Amino acid sequence: KAGVTQTPRYLIKTRGQQVTLSCSPISGHRSVSWYQQTPGQGLQFLFEYFSETQRNKGNFPGRFSGRQFSNSRSEMNVSTLELGDSALYLCASSLGTSGGSLNEQYFGPGTRLTVT
Amino acid sequence: KNEVEQSPQNLTAQEGEFITINCSYSVGISALHWLQQHPGGGIVSLFMLSSGKKKHGRLIATINIQEKHSSLHITASHPRDSAVYICAVPNYGGSQGNLIFGKGTKLSVKP
């Protein structure tokens, strides 16, 4: 089976712009979770989607949003980018019948976003 | 809200040594995850456990639910084990909500 894929792998944006990141889960996985990793804060949960519905949301401002499509692919969007949004954004998929915390998660390679 | 503490933050070992990384949390949980992150960012899930012990190759993970503590052991360490090891637990305990992560233990194994 193909693993989790994320596109693009690297991205440079300027402050005030918006960005959309994409995640394709492992075939058959219905849950997709998104995480932000920075040197200062470490790994932080953004949101989890299951069957096109947001199941959990982390403590991030409304500029961060996401969605999931019927084929389980997911996108996350960050509007009005700030310098502090520079980070590695990781998505992970799981079978997801329970909440994300009870399922083994398979991570993608991440998208490294730099905001200048 | 759960809080996760990992120790040590950094660990340098010689090839062949036995390694132990510790993780403590504050709220009772139903499952704990151990993750491995290599330079370049890729994360691999090593274990998800809710009780007792799990073993995979040279890696062993244990959890003590009563003491709210888990350990990750690496036997006969090798330079390819050099990575950051991260533990993660449900944020509000039990099965609720999302995962919250420790700050990671950076392991460097010298040949």
Side-chain angles (χ1 to χ4, degrees), chain A residues 27-40:
Chain A
S27 177
H29 285 192
R30 294 162 64 190
S31 169
V32 173
S33 297
W34 287 91
Y35 302 93
Q36 182 197 64
Q37 187 177 37
T38 59

Side-chain angles (χ1 to χ4, degrees), chain B residues 21-85:
Chain B
I21 298 170
N22 296 298
C23 176
S24 297
Y25 50 92
S26 58
V27 177
I29 59 170
S30 51
L32 179 144
H33 300 250
W34 280 103
L35 310 172
Q36 179 192 55
Q37 185 171 32
H38 280 283
I43 292 180
V44 174
S45 175
L46 296 175
F47 297 102
M48 185 180 74
L49 68 166
S50 55
S51 65
K53 179 165 77 172
K54 283 192 174 181
K55 185 175 189 291
H56 185 257
R58 295 179 295 105
L59 300 177
I60 303 166
T62 64
I63 189 167
N64 185 318
I65 296 293
Q66 287 73 31
E67 294 189 3
K68 299 186 179 64
H69 180 269
S70 176
S71 293
L72 177 67
H73 305 286
I74 305 175
T75 62
S77 59
H78 190 276
R80 64 175 174 266
D81 297 325
S82 297
V84 177
Y85 293 84

Side-chain angles (χ1 to χ4, degrees), chain A residues 101-102, chain B residues 2 27-32 89-98:
Chain A
S101 58
L102 290 185
Chain B
N2 222 333
V27 177
I29 59 170
S30 51
L32 179 144
V89 300
N91 195 1
Y92 295 100
S95 63
Q96 296 303 309
N98 49 280

Side-chain angles (χ1 to χ4, degrees), chain A residues 94-106:
Chain A
S94 68
L95 287 171
T97 49
S98 307
S101 58
L102 290 185
N103 290 275
E104 183 173 4
Q105 306 215 351
Y106 296 81

